[in-house]
PDB file of all heavy atoms in Angstrom:
ATOM      1  N   ALA A 172      12.203 -26.482 -45.583  1.00 97.00           N
ATOM      2  CA  ALA A 172      13.004 -25.626 -44.609  1.00 97.00           C
ATOM      3  C   ALA A 172      11.932 -25.240 -43.447  1.00 97.00           C
ATOM      4  O   ALA A 172      11.835 -24.036 -43.124  1.00 97.00           O
ATOM      5  CB  ALA A 172      13.575 -24.427 -45.252  1.00 97.00           C
ATOM      6  N   VAL A 173      11.447 -26.211 -42.830  1.00 98.00           N
ATOM      7  CA  VAL A 173      10.417 -26.004 -41.829  1.00 98.00           C
ATOM      8  C   VAL A 173      10.770 -26.738 -40.452  1.00 98.00           C
ATOM      9  O   VAL A 173      11.111 -27.884 -40.647  1.00 98.00           O
ATOM     10  CB  VAL A 173       9.013 -26.508 -42.321  1.00 98.00           C
ATOM     11  CG1 VAL A 173       7.831 -26.319 -41.149  1.00 98.00           C
ATOM     12  CG2 VAL A 173       8.579 -25.746 -43.604  1.00 98.00           C
ATOM     13  N   LEU A 174      10.604 -26.002 -39.371  1.00 98.00           N
ATOM     14  CA  LEU A 174      10.917 -26.625 -38.097  1.00 98.00           C
ATOM     15  C   LEU A 174       9.618 -26.547 -37.293  1.00 98.00           C
ATOM     16  O   LEU A 174       9.119 -25.367 -37.048  1.00 98.00           O
ATOM     17  CB  LEU A 174      11.965 -25.928 -37.298  1.00 98.00           C
ATOM     18  CG  LEU A 174      12.215 -26.217 -35.914  1.00 98.00           C
ATOM     19  CD1 LEU A 174      13.032 -27.621 -35.861  1.00 98.00           C
ATOM     20  CD2 LEU A 174      13.169 -25.212 -35.179  1.00 98.00           C
ATOM     21  N   ALA A 175       8.931 -27.714 -37.146  1.00 98.00           N
ATOM     22  CA  ALA A 175       7.627 -27.761 -36.403  1.00 98.00           C
ATOM     23  C   ALA A 175       7.788 -28.318 -35.069  1.00 98.00           C
ATOM     24  O   ALA A 175       8.369 -29.303 -34.785  1.00 98.00           O
ATOM     25  CB  ALA A 175       6.661 -28.722 -37.229  1.00 98.00           C
ATOM     26  N   LEU A 176       7.271 -27.517 -34.084  1.00 98.00           N
ATOM     27  CA  LEU A 176       7.518 -27.666 -32.694  1.00 98.00           C
ATOM     28  C   LEU A 176       6.179 -27.671 -31.924  1.00 98.00           C
ATOM     29  O   LEU A 176       5.358 -26.860 -32.138  1.00 98.00           O
ATOM     30  CB  LEU A 176       8.418 -26.709 -32.108  1.00 98.00           C
ATOM     31  CG  LEU A 176       9.964 -26.758 -32.610  1.00 98.00           C
ATOM     32  CD1 LEU A 176      10.682 -25.512 -32.445  1.00 98.00           C
ATOM     33  CD2 LEU A 176      10.598 -27.930 -32.068  1.00 98.00           C
ATOM     34  N   ASP A 177       6.030 -28.482 -30.816  1.00 98.00           N
ATOM     35  CA  ASP A 177       4.921 -28.650 -30.085  1.00 98.00           C
ATOM     36  C   ASP A 177       5.188 -28.281 -28.630  1.00 98.00           C
ATOM     37  O   ASP A 177       6.168 -28.819 -28.073  1.00 98.00           O
ATOM     38  CB  ASP A 177       4.392 -30.181 -30.062  1.00 98.00           C
ATOM     39  CG  ASP A 177       3.194 -30.294 -29.134  1.00 98.00           C
ATOM     40  OD1 ASP A 177       2.439 -29.372 -28.905  1.00 98.00           O
ATOM     41  OD2 ASP A 177       2.924 -31.369 -28.660  1.00 98.00           O
ATOM     42  N   CYS A 178       4.517 -27.333 -28.056  1.00 98.00           N
ATOM     43  CA  CYS A 178       4.801 -26.737 -26.691  1.00 98.00           C
ATOM     44  C   CYS A 178       4.048 -27.438 -25.620  1.00 98.00           C
ATOM     45  O   CYS A 178       4.037 -26.900 -24.447  1.00 98.00           O
ATOM     46  CB  CYS A 178       4.527 -25.219 -26.845  1.00 98.00           C
ATOM     47  SG  CYS A 178       5.627 -24.324 -27.859  1.00 98.00           S
ATOM     48  N   GLY A 179       3.268 -28.517 -25.858  1.00 97.00           N
ATOM     49  CA  GLY A 179       2.745 -29.266 -24.775  1.00 97.00           C
ATOM     50  C   GLY A 179       1.227 -28.938 -24.533  1.00 97.00           C
ATOM     51  O   GLY A 179       0.593 -28.091 -25.189  1.00 97.00           O
ATOM     52  N   ASP A 180       0.623 -29.564 -23.571  1.00 98.00           N
ATOM     53  CA  ASP A 180      -0.848 -29.700 -23.318  1.00 98.00           C
ATOM     54  C   ASP A 180      -1.420 -30.372 -24.594  1.00 98.00           C
ATOM     55  O   ASP A 180      -2.364 -29.765 -25.133  1.00 98.00           O
ATOM     56  CB  ASP A 180      -1.477 -28.327 -23.066  1.00 98.00           C
ATOM     57  CG  ASP A 180      -1.427 -28.049 -21.519  1.00 98.00           C
ATOM     58  OD1 ASP A 180      -1.029 -28.976 -20.754  1.00 98.00           O
ATOM     59  OD2 ASP A 180      -1.816 -26.980 -21.112  1.00 98.00           O
ATOM     60  N   THR A 181      -0.877 -31.423 -25.019  1.00 98.00           N
ATOM     61  CA  THR A 181      -1.231 -32.180 -26.210  1.00 98.00           C
ATOM     62  C   THR A 181      -1.933 -33.454 -26.044  1.00 98.00           C
ATOM     63  O   THR A 181      -2.784 -33.925 -26.818  1.00 98.00           O
ATOM     64  CB  THR A 181       0.043 -32.426 -27.053  1.00 98.00           C
ATOM     65  OG1 THR A 181       0.826 -31.144 -27.173  1.00 98.00           O
ATOM     66  CG2 THR A 181      -0.198 -32.838 -28.390  1.00 98.00           C
ATOM     67  N   PHE A 182      -1.575 -34.129 -24.940  1.00 98.00           N
ATOM     68  CA  PHE A 182      -2.111 -35.520 -24.668  1.00 98.00           C
ATOM     69  C   PHE A 182      -3.292 -35.555 -23.752  1.00 98.00           C
ATOM     70  O   PHE A 182      -3.625 -36.754 -23.343  1.00 98.00           O
ATOM     71  CB  PHE A 182      -0.900 -36.398 -24.083  1.00 98.00           C
ATOM     72  CG  PHE A 182       0.077 -36.746 -25.094  1.00 98.00           C
ATOM     73  CD1 PHE A 182       1.148 -35.891 -25.427  1.00 98.00           C
ATOM     74  CD2 PHE A 182       0.165 -38.025 -25.606  1.00 98.00           C
ATOM     75  CE1 PHE A 182       2.152 -36.284 -26.424  1.00 98.00           C
ATOM     76  CE2 PHE A 182       1.091 -38.396 -26.499  1.00 98.00           C
ATOM     77  CZ  PHE A 182       2.070 -37.574 -26.821  1.00 98.00           C
ATOM     78  N   HIS A 183      -3.896 -34.393 -23.394  1.00 97.00           N
ATOM     79  CA  HIS A 183      -4.917 -34.518 -22.471  1.00 97.00           C
ATOM     80  C   HIS A 183      -5.911 -33.361 -22.677  1.00 97.00           C
ATOM     81  O   HIS A 183      -5.491 -32.273 -23.145  1.00 97.00           O
ATOM     82  CB  HIS A 183      -4.290 -34.217 -20.933  1.00 97.00           C
ATOM     83  CG  HIS A 183      -5.279 -34.404 -19.837  1.00 97.00           C
ATOM     84  ND1 HIS A 183      -6.175 -33.480 -19.527  1.00 97.00           N
ATOM     85  CD2 HIS A 183      -5.550 -35.355 -18.916  1.00 97.00           C
ATOM     86  CE1 HIS A 183      -6.929 -33.850 -18.485  1.00 97.00           C
ATOM     87  NE2 HIS A 183      -6.447 -34.990 -18.059  1.00 97.00           N
ATOM     88  N   GLY A 184      -7.261 -33.718 -22.518  1.00 97.00           N
ATOM     89  CA  GLY A 184      -8.200 -32.629 -22.567  1.00 97.00           C
ATOM     90  C   GLY A 184      -9.531 -33.084 -23.323  1.00 97.00           C
ATOM     91  O   GLY A 184     -10.501 -32.353 -23.300  1.00 97.00           O
ATOM     92  N   THR A 185      -9.578 -34.300 -23.964  1.00 98.00           N
ATOM     93  CA  THR A 185     -10.673 -34.865 -24.554  1.00 98.00           C
ATOM     94  C   THR A 185     -10.837 -36.301 -24.088  1.00 98.00           C
ATOM     95  O   THR A 185      -9.973 -36.904 -23.621  1.00 98.00           O
ATOM     96  CB  THR A 185     -10.662 -34.743 -26.026  1.00 98.00           C
ATOM     97  OG1 THR A 185      -9.469 -35.570 -26.561  1.00 98.00           O
ATOM     98  CG2 THR A 185     -10.606 -33.341 -26.612  1.00 98.00           C
ATOM     99  N   TYR A 186     -12.100 -36.822 -24.157  1.00 98.00           N
ATOM    100  CA  TYR A 186     -12.365 -38.164 -23.719  1.00 98.00           C
ATOM    101  C   TYR A 186     -11.478 -39.229 -24.284  1.00 98.00           C
ATOM    102  O   TYR A 186     -10.933 -40.066 -23.494  1.00 98.00           O
ATOM    103  CB  TYR A 186     -13.869 -38.514 -23.918  1.00 98.00           C
ATOM    104  CG  TYR A 186     -14.233 -39.860 -23.248  1.00 98.00           C
ATOM    105  CD1 TYR A 186     -14.434 -39.895 -21.886  1.00 98.00           C
ATOM    106  CD2 TYR A 186     -14.298 -40.957 -24.048  1.00 98.00           C
ATOM    107  CE1 TYR A 186     -14.817 -41.155 -21.330  1.00 98.00           C
ATOM    108  CE2 TYR A 186     -14.672 -42.177 -23.447  1.00 98.00           C
ATOM    109  CZ  TYR A 186     -14.839 -42.242 -22.007  1.00 98.00           C
ATOM    110  OH  TYR A 186     -15.143 -43.526 -21.513  1.00 98.00           O
ATOM    111  N   PRO A 187     -11.366 -39.244 -25.624  1.00 98.00           N
ATOM    112  CA  PRO A 187     -10.435 -40.376 -26.181  1.00 98.00           C
ATOM    113  C   PRO A 187      -9.041 -40.348 -25.466  1.00 98.00           C
ATOM    114  O   PRO A 187      -8.430 -41.417 -25.373  1.00 98.00           O
ATOM    115  CB  PRO A 187     -10.409 -40.041 -27.666  1.00 98.00           C
ATOM    116  CG  PRO A 187     -11.842 -39.302 -27.977  1.00 98.00           C
ATOM    117  CD  PRO A 187     -11.919 -38.549 -26.651  1.00 98.00           C
ATOM    118  N   ALA A 188      -8.499 -39.158 -25.408  1.00 98.00           N
ATOM    119  CA  ALA A 188      -7.142 -39.042 -24.744  1.00 98.00           C
ATOM    120  C   ALA A 188      -7.055 -39.542 -23.490  1.00 98.00           C
ATOM    121  O   ALA A 188      -6.236 -40.367 -23.062  1.00 98.00           O
ATOM    122  CB  ALA A 188      -6.705 -37.611 -24.931  1.00 98.00           C
TER     123      ALA A 188
END
Side-chain angles (χ1 to χ4, degrees):
V173 176
L174 178 69
L176 295 161
D177 175 24
C178 296
D180 273 357
T181 310
F182 285 79
H183 187 284
T185 59
Y186 184 81

